[in-house]
Structures are given as C-alpha cells and as structure tokens.
Amino acid sequence: MANKMSRRQFLGTAAITGAALSGMGNALSAAQAPQGAADWDEKNGPAPAAPDAPQALPLQPGAVPIIDSHIHLFDQTRPVFSGYTGGLFYRQVNKPSTPAAYAALARPAGIVGAIVVESAAQFIDDNLWYLEVCRDNPFMVGVSGNLDPGSTDFTKYLNHFHRDPLFRAIRSSRFYTKDAGGKLALNPTQVANLKLLAEADLALDTANPSMDLMNANVLLADAAPDLRIIMDHLPSFDPTPENQAAYDAVIKEMAARPNIFVKLTEVYHPKPGDNGIIVKNYEFLRERLEYLFQAFGEDRVMFGTDYPNSYGVATIPEEVGLMQQFFSTKTRAQQEKYFWQNSSRIYKWVKRSDDQPTPLAQGKPAPPLPARGGGGGRGGPGGPGGPGAPGGGRP
Ligand SMILES: [Zn+2]
C-alpha cells in the first residue's frame, strides 16, 4: 500500500505519480525519480509532495494565522559552529538553515512567524547566535535555547539570557535518572534550577518522546507545578503492542497535569525500526491526532513543522495541510488556539510584525525588544542571585 513503504520507495513513487498527474509524460517522470536526497533540493524544494496528501490552503484574507512553534536554525559556514546540520536528508544538502530561507518556504503556507528550538547545541554561545539571527528577522518571534540545568553555571546564564525578551524557553530532557530496576527519579539540582526557569517565566521544551521521558515529565510536573513543560513531537511516538498499555497510562497521567503541553508535530515521521516507513494514510494519522487532542484538550496543543528536521519527510505545505484538514472538523476558536494562540500563552512569544497576530493577554504585557547594541539602563549585570532577584522578572 502507498502508506506502507520505505521512505525512499515512497518518495520515488510520489515524484513519479506527481509528474504523471501533471501531464509531464513518462520519460520525464522516470528521469525525475529522485536518486537521493541531494537531488530533491533544487528541483522540488524541500521534498516531493505526496500527490494525495492534504496541502496548505491558499492564503486568503481571514485565514487563521499560523505561528510555527518549532524550527531549527544553524549555519555551518560560521567559524565557530557546533553540531547539528539538519535531519538525515537536509544534511546531504549541506546548507545553512536561516530565518530568511525558512520564511520563503513558510509564508506561502500561511505561516507568519516562528520559534527556533535549540538543535543539540553544545556551546553556550549558540544561544547568543540564535538571539542575534532572530532579532535580525522579524519573522522570528522567540528562542528556545540551550542551558544545562545540571550545570553550576545555570543561574548565571539564566539571568543573562532571560534579559532578552526573545529568549522564551530552554530545551533540556536529561533531568532524571533511571536505576537498575528501571525506577525513574528526578535530579534534585536540576529540579531546583528548573523552578528558577519557571520563576523567570520561561518554558521547558522536552524531546524526543520516549516512555521514560514522558514518565519523567509527569514527575517533573508534580515537582515544579509552575513550570510550563512542553512535550515535543508527541505524535511521533509509535506505541508497540508491548508498551501500548503503558503508553495509554502515561498519556493519561500527562494529560492530568495542566502544566504539561504538547506539540502536535512530526505527525509525518519515519517509523523507527520499520525501515523508515513514513505513514501518510490520513485516517491512521487522524486517529492518533484525535486521541491526543481529546486527551490534552484544545488549550494545550501547538503547531510546529520541525523544519528542516522534516526536510525529505514532508513539505511545509503538507504539514500545514494535514493539520488544517484535521482541524477542519473543529471550531474556528479551536483552530486559532492550535495554530497560534496556545503558543502565545505557553511560550509568550513576541509579536514582531504587523501580519503576526497580537498575543493574548499574558498576565503582563510583552516587554519591548531592547535596542540593538544598547546596554545601558537594563539593570546592570544580574549577578548570581536567581532570576527572580534582579527586578523580579524579565525587564
Ligand atoms: Zn526539532
């Protein structure tokens, strides 16, 4: 079946069928069957579209605006650069991922802004790079950076980076341990630091979904009830017959914690251990989405593309189109919540341009962006007193 083949097979078939459908002729379609990821880029954009997959609706007045709560940025041409250069297929293209390149692909799909999430950053200066490239492009409305809650420098850097209003969250997922008997426990130092993160009104991204991480998130939600914990890419978790019951149970436990939020992202994903199959069967995907939507409710789910980690897996218009199709049976209010309002409450992202929606009341107004290059009048160097200490919050 079309929805049960390897990624390579699927994409090859999709390209051939797409060419045939558009009347390009057999010789051309055979010639265009991609031989490898490097071939896809220049001809087709990020990846060949599946001809029968839902596509993003054309932009029109009154459309629900979309904020992408999860993209990755990097520039491997920098002399100082650490690590990640995209998913399996984007790596072969070997190109930087910049806000401008992403925005050109995202805008036609109705996306008006995005949040960058750290990409396995290893060095503290990556945070500054994210903030600087994002400040330079108003398409970017927030940064989920990389600070290690297990580091003795955590407080110092939290104080430092949270002064920038674009710094909205960190991603960290190793805040727990597992003993030989399989019992999970939170790391007390990390919990203390993550409480400081909550005091600073910043959120925590966690990835990728595993049984251990989901169970640890339940423990963390109880230990730090004021911390907004985000489970990234939850639909990408494929339960097995062996762990189905435990999966259902932990979904229930996470859903029972109001401070756990979910990215309904990576709905299209290569299935691990199954030759990288990408299931594109709508009914299968709809059932999983409905299950998670019913569990977590309309106020705790967010949209994201995970671009360019999703490159070669699904195009941005496919990802948007899938979720528009899913939400087409929901109310307009539920659509607005999923596509932008919930991320505005959870991340408290910053509106940067007129075509971005105005964030909902967030308890306090979003502070203005600091002037470029200006450092005066921002309260001086915070000192290691905890994020609540200098001025009681973000400037
Ligand atoms: Zn990601």
Side-chain angles (χ1 to χ4, degrees), residues 70-72 84 117-118 171 208 232-233 266 306-307 309:
H70 197 110
I71 71 166
H72 295 286
Y84 180 83
V117 178
E118 67 88 13
R171 176 153 80 171
N208 285 307
D232 292 350
H233 314 321
E266 284 193 15
D306 200 22
Y307 187 83
N309 202 35

Side-chain angles (χ1 to χ4, degrees), residues 232-253:
D232 292 350
H233 314 321
L234 188 51
S236 74
F237 186 88
D238 293 299
T240 62
E242 295 74 45
N243 66 19
Q244 180 75 51
Y247 167 77
D248 290 335
V250 77
I251 293 292
K252 215 179 235 179
E253 292 295 327

